[in-house]
Amino acid sequence: MSQEKANLKENEMTREGFDPHILGFFCHWCCYAAADSAGVSRYQYPPNVRVIRVMCTGRIDVRFVLEAFRCGADGVFTGG
Amino acid sequence: MSQYGAILVLGGGVAGVQTALDLSELGYYVYLVEKKASVGGVMAQLDKTFPTNDCSL
Amino acid sequence: MVEAGRSPNIEILSNARLEALEGKPGQFVARVHQEPRFIDEDKCTACGMCTMYCPRPVVDTYNERLEVTRAPHIDYAQAIPSSYYIDAKACLRVNYETCNLCAQTCTAKAIDFSQKPKEHALEVGAVVLAPGFGRVDSSVLERFGYGRYPDVVTSYEFERLTCASGPTEGHIVRPSDNKTPRKIAFLQCIGSRDETCGNGYCSTVCCMYAIKEASVAKEHEPDLDISLFFMDVRTQGKGFDEARQRAQEKYGLHVIRARVPRVEQVDGMLALTWTTDDGKSHSDLFDMVVLSVGLDSPEDAQSIAELADIKLNHYDFCKTTAGAPLATTREGIYVAGAFQGPKDIPESVTQASGVAAMASELLAESRNTCTISVTYPEEDKAIEAEEPRIGVFVCHCGVNIAGTVDVKAVRDYAGSLPGVVLYEDTLYSCSQDALKSIAEKIKENRLNRVVIAACSPRTHEPLFQETLRSIGLNPALIEMANIRDQCAWVHSQEPEAATEKSKDLVRMAVAKARLLEPLAQPTVDVTPNALVIGGGAAGMTAAISIADQGYRCVLVEKGRKLGGNLSRLAWTLDGQDASSVLDSLKKKVKDHPNIHVQLESQVESISGYVGNFTTTINSKGKTKVINHGVAVLATGAREYKPSGYLYGENNRVMTQLELEEKLKRGKAFLKNARNVVMIQCVGSRGEDLKHCSRLCCSQAIKNALMIKEHSPDTNIYIFFRDIRTYGFHEDLYREAREKGIVFLRYMPDRRPEVVRRGRGIAVKGFDRLMGEDIEIPASLVVLSTGIAPGDNVELAKVIKAPLTSDGFFLEAHAKLRPVEVAVDGFYLCGLAHGPKSLDESIAQAKAAAAKAVIPLAKGKVAVAPIVSQVDQKTCIGCGICESLCPFNAIRLVKVNKRRKAQTITASCKGCGICASHCPTLAISMGGFTDQEILAQIHAFSGGKCEDEA
């Protein structure tokens, strides 16, 4: 068991096991709509993104991105 | 001559429901007469619709 | 659909039928008989106990008899009315006065066997007939082994099999052994294009739905081998040809052009034999055969016709004309949907709006005399100002969410979050009964913030906002977590990860909900007139309808006279004189006091927003300004002019419209015409235009028949790819074949050529049946060149309206909003939207007029409250926001001699560029404040960093 855990830990650092925590800012009109229609079409993608809906990517303040990284995001996705 | 400001829509499928919605928005009272127990017609039976494969409800 | 159940001005009479109709236009009395549901709609909570305890099984017709339900049931979870009902035919209590089990189990005491049938006498000004379509007789299906071989199914049954909430949860199985089939065949034109069953017409929709069902099946079971047997592939709708092409390539569907005469069973397999148009015979075995069943006229067509005193056509559909497609033969009675002729959803929805316009024209003077206006209880500001008391409702959406996400775990997790005082799960949050119960729980628990974890706020937030308003809460106090579209559906293979993601999304939503503030609900007055751009058939029809509905309108036409493409047509597709349709439209436009025509005029600029537009037009060199509340785009399209085929080089080669103009002037030129050759899809379907131009097949055949009528000895040859005479136009195709017109199919890689031969010309082609090259000397060559978009690019830029890749205007939603543009206040009709026939343009123009009049009739439009707001104390007047705003919705004003930014609320789209760039953080966005977004970011971290940081 502990061996397995250790392996997992190791894998996390390698490319294959990397399981990033990503924050997405999606524009209501395009990217958010596209993400919805990906769902309607039942496309499958990795479950790593958490989404904050904004009315336009123009709403995204640099502070938001910096704050996301400060709060432990491995990546920030902006879609608009 | 005075006219009635209500309209009878016979059939509660997609056409009937849309007519009822538009008429109510245009300022008319609508009686939607459906022979079955619920509106929606055949469209409600469709899983997805061509070509966008949207949910039909 | 849910909206229909919520409107106070729509009274749904279910289990009801029309018994009699008396009176005259404007003053009808309709007698309606209504059977009881035996379950009180107001009391039923849709809990399902009655279905569970009922001893009497009945077949579930909603699931195409593939499942069994009980006498008391609901057709499907989102049904409207959303209460259960008792199937009176099966119920033991109703028929034998025994049992009564359900009434005892019903805790809501909703079951009421004392209900009696009701007779209504309804005073109505107009009647709309929309009874839909009927089913093709089972004797037709039996010819293809249906009923005899279990693995022959109808397309309706197959639809339910592919549905995730259907009887097999979307698994495709053979009825005979419940195993997944490997090879499936779709047989088209079952009960369509078949005179032997009385249905000589084309059902229009089957080609599309067969491709859809085949695609969905392939998505469920990628290893399926699917063949589709078409006579012609009829995907003539907007964007449909491209969609078909994509589906065919993506899913590897085999398209075979042949009619399969019968189905036989051999060793548990289904054997098909068919002949292709090269004369070769083929046969193969399949595991399952799907019959693509056509649309028949409604079973009660005859009785409806008698009751309403209207005429039917020779197929028992409602009789209409190309010039008045939505009018029945009796004034004040209109028709929409499949009863008018087989059609797909966008066409039905368009016609539905169109008939709404017709009724609204007739009854303009009694608008708002019978309606009930909704009043919302006053906002409870005291509750709103209290500490956040958050309620979280986690939706199962049937199996859509609950099939992947552990809904109960998410619900319980929500309960652990700060501020949450109520956490529940619901089966379908959007169903009427669930909304009712959510409203009650909000009140009971004095909630002042609500989180709905369900589907997308894009589609469903308005519904839940409405629920809040109905109980005196500001609609801005709701936040949705999208755990369906962006979670359960896209991570269906990873239920644990999807559950974790749902928890995170709920946590983020709750964090935002804690900070939500009520927002003002501004409305603006509407300038009560319209602008119609384009003076062809569609534009004129729209203008007349708007004017008849009681509103003034300006009709702008760039040419020197009205009429557009209609003025070049000789006959409509149903054989009416096109000029009489044109003349009557022109006369109405000219005589109407509400219509002002501006010829030789073009739109230069449009500013403003729905309700208040200011448009500058250039009229014969002079600039004019028009103020209007809404605008209809009816800019038309043009006939495509091809290169090649000796077009423009030899005067014996012409387009269909040129031929029609020539025929209109006189038929003498046909005297020595021995052979006339027509070539279809010149330009269309990939040669120069990507799209199918929809009407060229019918138009070509119409013209060919016209030539035959005046010159019966002329031989006519038509080279085609697929003959797309959909609907009743199929009659033309049959007549043409009967009259000896020769149809030759060609493949896109072997197009016919027009060549010079001495002083004459000839068409070289390939005869697929004989398998040899042929050359036909031609007196005339007529090219069906298709419809190219007009010069829409400039106008589209002015309006900021999107175009399709083909250059036509794009509608807001292909099915649900087919005549609206994505920009509020703009509506769309006619060829500007895409190729279509005259009757379709007219129906669409009526629909656009209905939609355009809605804001005019309301007199006010609501502005979304998500606009920016400047705190003028903090603002330093730097002007960055003004320079960045893409909508000119923020400007600098002098306040006490200092420059301060100010938002123009009605123009603001809520994008937030101003807020994100304000150096002093003086601008906040309604519903998307810095604090709210930062709270979401902190919640994302899951407690790793604090809000205060």
Side-chain angles (χ1 to χ4, degrees):
Chain A
M1 194 66 184
S2 62
Q3 184 60 41
E4 254 175 50
K5 262 192 185 159
N7 282 346
L8 269 176
K9 195 92 187 156
E10 209 163 83
N11 273 341
E12 244 174 62
M13 303 315 290
T14 64
R15 208 180 155 76
E16 250 172 48
F18 182 48
D19 191 21
H21 206 40
I22 300 169
L23 182 62
F25 291 97
F26 287 13
C27 163
H28 173 89
W29 304 105
C30 47
C31 189
Y32 198 89
D36 281 350
S37 66
V40 172
S41 314
R42 306 295 195 277
Y43 285 113
Q44 300 294 309
Y45 55 82
N48 298 52
V49 186
R50 304 293 178 264
V51 176
I52 292 179
R53 181 175 63 105
V54 287
M55 294 310 287
C56 170
T57 42
R59 178 70 190 91
I60 303 167
D61 197 317
V62 180
R63 287 180 302 148
F64 299 163
V65 179
L66 296 175
E67 194 64 12
F69 283 124
R70 194 181 73 80
C71 290
D74 296 308
V76 171
F77 180 118
T78 68
Chain B
M1 185 193 93
S2 74
Q3 298 173 323
Y4 302 134
I7 290 143
L8 179 111
V9 177
L10 184 67
V14 57
V17 170
Q18 184 64 48
T19 307
L21 286 172
D22 286 339
L23 282 170
S24 70
E25 295 258 314
L26 284 164
Y28 301 94
Y29 192 85
V30 181
Y31 299 101
L32 184 58
V33 174
E34 165 60 39
K35 64 181 170 197
K36 294 208 175 138
S38 55
V39 299
V42 179
M43 180 149 158
Q45 273 184 300
L46 303 182
D47 178 31
K48 300 194 177 78
T49 52
F50 187 87
T52 49
N53 284 6
D54 286 357
C55 162
S56 64
L57 296 163
Chain C
M1 218 173 72
V2 179
E3 288 166 51
R6 297 175 58 83
S7 170
N9 288 309
I10 300 176
E11 189 174 330
I12 298 174
L13 304 173
S14 61
N15 281 344
R17 60 173 187 264
L18 183 66
E19 298 262 279
L21 185 66
E22 294 139 21
K24 56 183 184 184
Q27 292 175 314
F28 290 110
V29 175
R31 297 191 189 279
V32 172
H33 172 89
Q34 190 177 18
E35 286 291 329
R37 296 171 75 90
F38 298 115
I39 296 184
D40 188 328
E41 287 174 49
D42 295 328
K43 289 187 188 154
C44 174
T45 60
C47 69
M49 288 296 269
C50 49
T51 309
M52 228 172 349
Y53 280 92
C54 175
R56 195 68 196 251
V58 292
V59 288
D60 181 356
T61 50
Y62 174 73
N63 275 315
E64 289 298 326
R65 318 178 73 85
L66 297 168
E67 259 196 307
V68 172
T69 179
R70 303 280 160 161
H73 65 274
I74 190 162
D75 288 340
Y76 52 102
Q78 302 98 321
I80 304 288
S82 60
S83 87
Y84 279 48
Y85 67 99
I86 290 174
D87 185 339
K89 280 199 287 295
C91 177
L92 296 169
R93 170 70 175 73
V94 172
N95 294 292
Y96 309 107
E97 302 257 331
T98 60
C99 184
N100 211 25
L101 258 178
C102 56
Q104 282 155 22
T105 57
C106 180
T107 48
K109 303 277 167 242
I111 294 177
D112 177 6
F113 284 107
S114 68
Q115 284 185 0
K116 296 274 172 294
K118 283 187 207 151
E119 306 296 334
H120 303 268
L122 309 172
E123 293 181 333
V124 292
V127 175
V128 172
L129 303 177
F133 55 86
R135 295 275 174 109
V136 168
D137 196 74
S138 59
S139 65
V140 181
L141 310 182
E142 281 157 18
R143 284 190 231 158
F144 299 90
Y146 183 76
R148 211 162 357 126
Y149 311 133
D151 296 332
V152 177
V153 300
T154 66
S155 44
Y156 294 97
E157 291 163 348
F158 197 73
E159 180 85 31
R160 296 311 304 159
L161 285 179
T162 60
C163 179
S165 57
T168 58
E169 290 174 358
H171 297 297
I172 293 153
V173 295
R174 295 207 313 176
S176 63
D177 55 5
N178 278 333
K179 283 193 184 134
T180 306
R182 275 162 300 142
K183 271 175 86 177
I184 301 182
F186 278 78
L187 307 190
Q188 299 304 111
C189 301
I190 307 297
S192 312
R193 301 181 69 184
D194 181 0
E195 281 210 293
T196 62
C197 69
N199 293 352
Y201 56 85
C202 160
S203 292
T204 312
V205 300
C206 328
C207 285
M208 266 92 73
Y209 79 57
I211 293 162
K212 177 202 74 174
E213 288 184 358
S215 305
V216 174
K218 280 289 268 192
E219 256 177 25
H220 286 285
E221 315 284 350
D223 297 333
L224 281 177
D225 180 307
I226 301 182
S227 302
L228 299 107
F229 291 86
F230 296 95
M231 287 160 63
D232 296 280
V233 184
R234 291 187 172 171
T235 45
Q236 60 277 336
K238 187 178 181 179
F240 288 5
D241 232 8
E242 292 92 315
R244 173 192 54 81
Q245 192 76 38
R246 273 199 310 273
Q248 231 171 291
E249 283 160 14
K250 181 173 172 195
Y251 300 111
L253 308 174
H254 312 297
V255 166
I256 301 165
R257 284 184 174 81
R259 184 165 212 170
V260 180
R262 75 184 88 66
V263 179
E264 276 159 65
Q265 196 168 32
V266 179
D267 297 336
M269 297 280 278
L270 298 163
L272 304 182
T273 306
W274 67 94
T275 309
T276 41
D277 62 1
D278 52 10
K280 290 197 183 104
S281 180
H282 311 257
S283 60
D284 204 351
L285 295 171
F286 294 86
D287 298 303
M288 194 168 174
V289 167
V290 182
L291 304 179
S292 291
V293 184
L295 312 188
D296 215 321
S297 63
E299 286 88 9
D300 47 359
Q302 296 277 2
S303 72
I304 291 172
E306 257 167 58
L307 284 171
D309 193 20
I310 56 151
K311 289 203 170 71
L312 300 177
N313 73 6
H314 56 294
Y315 292 124
D316 275 359
F317 286 85
C318 187
K319 189 179 172 70
T320 59
T321 63
L326 307 177
T328 66
T329 48
R330 183 171 171 197
E331 205 197 329
I333 301 183
Y334 310 107
V335 59
F339 185 39
Q340 193 260 359
K343 60 179 56 65
D344 59 12
I345 294 166
E347 290 285 316
S348 291
V349 171
T350 301
Q351 288 200 339
S353 297
V355 285
M358 306 273 289
S360 170
E361 290 162 25
L362 178 74
L363 305 174
E365 61 176 71
S366 50
R367 187 188 309 284
N368 291 330
T369 55
C370 292
T371 44
I372 303 159
S373 55
V374 204
T375 47
Y376 294 104
E378 205 170 318
E379 234 177 272
D380 190 340
K381 298 244 161 82
I383 282 200
E384 285 172 358
E386 285 172 16
E387 273 292 293
R389 292 174 58 80
I390 306 173
V392 181
F393 298 90
V394 186
C395 183
H396 291 246
C397 195
V399 295
N400 281 308
I401 294 171
T404 304
V405 172
D406 184 345
V407 168
K408 295 212 156 64
V410 174
R411 176 201 64 191
D412 294 340
Y413 174 75
S416 72
L417 296 168
V420 176
V421 296
L422 179 81
Y423 47 104
E424 301 215 332
D425 56 311
T426 54
L427 190 55
Y428 284 99
S429 310
C430 61
S431 64
Q432 265 184 326
D433 58 297
L435 290 170
K436 213 158 72 184
S437 110
I438 289 173
E440 277 158 16
K441 283 178 181 144
I442 293 173
K443 270 180 155 165
E444 268 168 35
N445 296 283
R446 291 181 62 81
L447 302 179
N448 56 10
R449 305 287 186 277
V450 177
V451 171
I452 308 272
C455 50
S456 175
R458 288 175 52 251
T459 50
H460 283 71
E461 200 174 48
L463 193 70
F464 296 113
Q465 288 178 331
E466 186 79 9
T467 304
L468 257 60
R469 283 187 82 182
S470 72
I471 49 166
L473 281 181
N474 188 286
L477 298 176
I478 185 175
E479 179 66 17
M480 289 187 74
N482 189 341
I483 61 168
R484 187 186 74 174
D485 306 39
Q486 296 185 11
C487 187
W489 278 350
V490 290
H491 311 310
S492 56
Q493 310 302 323
E494 299 162 272
E496 279 164 31
T499 304
E500 283 313 305
K501 179 171 174 178
S502 299
K503 287 181 185 172
D504 288 354
L505 291 173
V506 168
R507 183 175 67 243
M508 290 163 72
V510 168
K512 183 175 178 184
R514 273 202 295 276
L515 299 172
L516 289 174
E517 287 298 325
L519 298 175
Q521 303 271 314
T523 57
V524 289
D525 288 334
V526 171
T527 310
N529 42 38
L531 172 73
V532 177
I533 308 170
M540 285 193 287
T541 305
I544 294 165
S545 177
I546 292 168
D548 279 345
Q549 291 183 67
Y551 299 93
R552 278 187 295 132
C553 91
V554 178
L555 179 59
V556 175
E557 163 59 40
K558 69 170 182 233
R560 290 172 60 189
K561 54 181 191 187
L562 298 171
N565 287 307
L566 177 56
S567 51
R568 299 180 67 190
L569 278 191
W571 305 277
T572 63
L573 291 176
D574 65 349
Q576 285 183 72
D577 177 12
S579 54
S580 73
V581 177
L582 176 65
D583 292 344
S584 109
L585 284 174
K586 273 173 147 172
K587 187 170 166 4
K588 275 190 208 151
V589 165
K590 280 187 187 133
D591 295 347
H592 210 298
N594 280 350
I595 302 178
H596 178 72
V597 180
Q598 290 279 347
L599 294 174
E600 293 177 75
S601 303
Q602 265 175 302
V603 170
E604 283 194 333
S605 70
I606 299 181
S607 64
Y609 45 90
V610 56
N612 293 284
F613 290 109
T614 303
T615 295
T616 314
I617 60 165
N618 183 329
S619 183
K620 299 176 194 168
K622 281 188 208 141
T623 302
K624 284 189 180 169
V625 174
I626 301 165
N627 292 313
H628 56 102
V630 291
V632 176
L633 307 179
T635 50
R638 59 191 170 79
E639 179 180 40
Y640 178 71
K641 298 283 183 190
S643 55
Y645 298 95
L646 298 182
Y647 180 73
E649 296 171 36
N650 188 305
N651 60 9
R652 288 166 186 258
V653 183
M654 61 189 70
T655 68
Q656 288 289 355
L657 264 184
E658 287 162 359
L659 168 71
E660 215 162 303
E661 285 174 305
K662 221 171 148 100
L663 284 167
K664 213 167 153 179
R665 286 195 295 270
K667 320 282 186 306
F669 75 100
L670 290 174
K671 220 163 85 188
N672 299 317
R674 215 164 67 83
N675 294 333
V676 173
V677 183
M678 295 184 175
I679 304 174
Q680 299 304 107
C681 297
V682 170
S684 301
R685 295 187 67 188
E687 198 175 26
D688 291 306
L689 308 169
K690 248 182 18 211
H691 58 270
C692 161
S693 293
R694 189 171 174 97
L695 57 87
C696 331
C697 285
S698 306
Q699 189 191 20
I701 294 173
K702 172 194 79 175
N703 289 343
L705 286 169
M706 213 48 89
I707 293 173
K708 269 284 184 198
E709 192 179 318
H710 291 280
S711 172
D713 296 333
T714 300
N715 301 311
I716 302 176
Y717 302 88
I718 299 182
F719 281 96
F720 71 99
R721 288 177 56 188
D722 290 289
I723 288 289
R724 293 182 165 173
T725 43
Y726 58 94
F728 303 128
H729 303 321
E730 182 71 13
D731 285 351
L732 294 172
Y733 184 28
R734 188 176 327 98
E735 188 186 341
R737 280 173 301 166
E738 282 163 9
K739 293 208 166 134
I741 293 170
V742 180
F743 288 85
L744 297 155
R745 193 192 293 273
Y746 73 86
M747 290 291 145
D749 55 354
R750 256 187 134 155
R751 289 180 173 275
E753 277 175 73
V754 184
V755 292
R756 287 195 179 84
R757 285 289 176 263
R759 288 170 59 199
I761 54 171
V763 177
K764 277 169 69 174
F766 181 71
D767 185 325
R768 291 169 57 81
L769 184 61
M770 307 300 288
E772 59 187 30
D773 289 313
I774 48 167
E775 183 169 315
I776 306 165
S779 325
L780 278 183
V781 171
V782 190
L783 306 175
S784 290
T785 57
I787 295 168
D791 307 320
N792 295 334
V793 179
E794 277 306 305
L795 188 60
K797 261 191 217 151
V798 168
I799 302 168
K800 297 200 175 91
L803 297 176
T804 66
S805 59
D806 298 324
F808 295 99
F809 281 102
L810 180 67
E811 59 273 37
H813 187 284
K815 271 171 281 295
L816 302 177
R817 296 169 65 197
V819 298
E820 291 163 79
V821 180
V823 185
D824 286 349
F826 285 92
Y827 309 91
L828 179 59
C829 60
L831 298 181
H833 161 272
K836 58 180 60 66
S837 60
L838 176 65
D839 55 323
E840 291 165 343
S841 278
I842 289 175
Q844 206 184 19
K846 293 272 187 197
K851 293 290 188 189
V853 166
I854 289 174
L856 305 183
K858 285 189 170 165
K860 277 188 175 21
V861 285
V863 179
I866 48 163
V867 294
S868 82
Q869 217 177 1
V870 183
D871 175 10
Q872 293 190 334
K873 274 201 221 92
T874 324
C875 173
I876 53 170
C878 68
I880 292 176
C881 51
E882 186 188 36
S883 71
L884 287 173
C885 177
F887 306 103
N888 299 326
I890 197 160
R891 66 184 162 202
L892 289 173
V893 292
K894 279 262 161 72
V895 179
N896 298 332
K897 296 189 183 164
R898 292 190 170 198
R899 275 158 45 98
K900 297 285 178 188
Q902 190 177 58
T903 309
I904 306 162
T905 310
S907 299
C908 177
K909 300 279 177 205
C911 72
I913 289 178
C914 51
S916 65
H917 287 80
C918 178
T920 60
L921 310 181
I923 302 176
S924 83
M925 301 303 302
F928 296 89
T929 64
D930 284 356
Q931 291 73 18
E932 286 164 2
I933 295 176
L934 287 169
Q936 282 175 290
I937 297 171
H938 295 143
F940 160 77
S941 78
K944 277 186 223 148
C945 68
E946 289 306 311
D947 283 8
E948 290 74 27

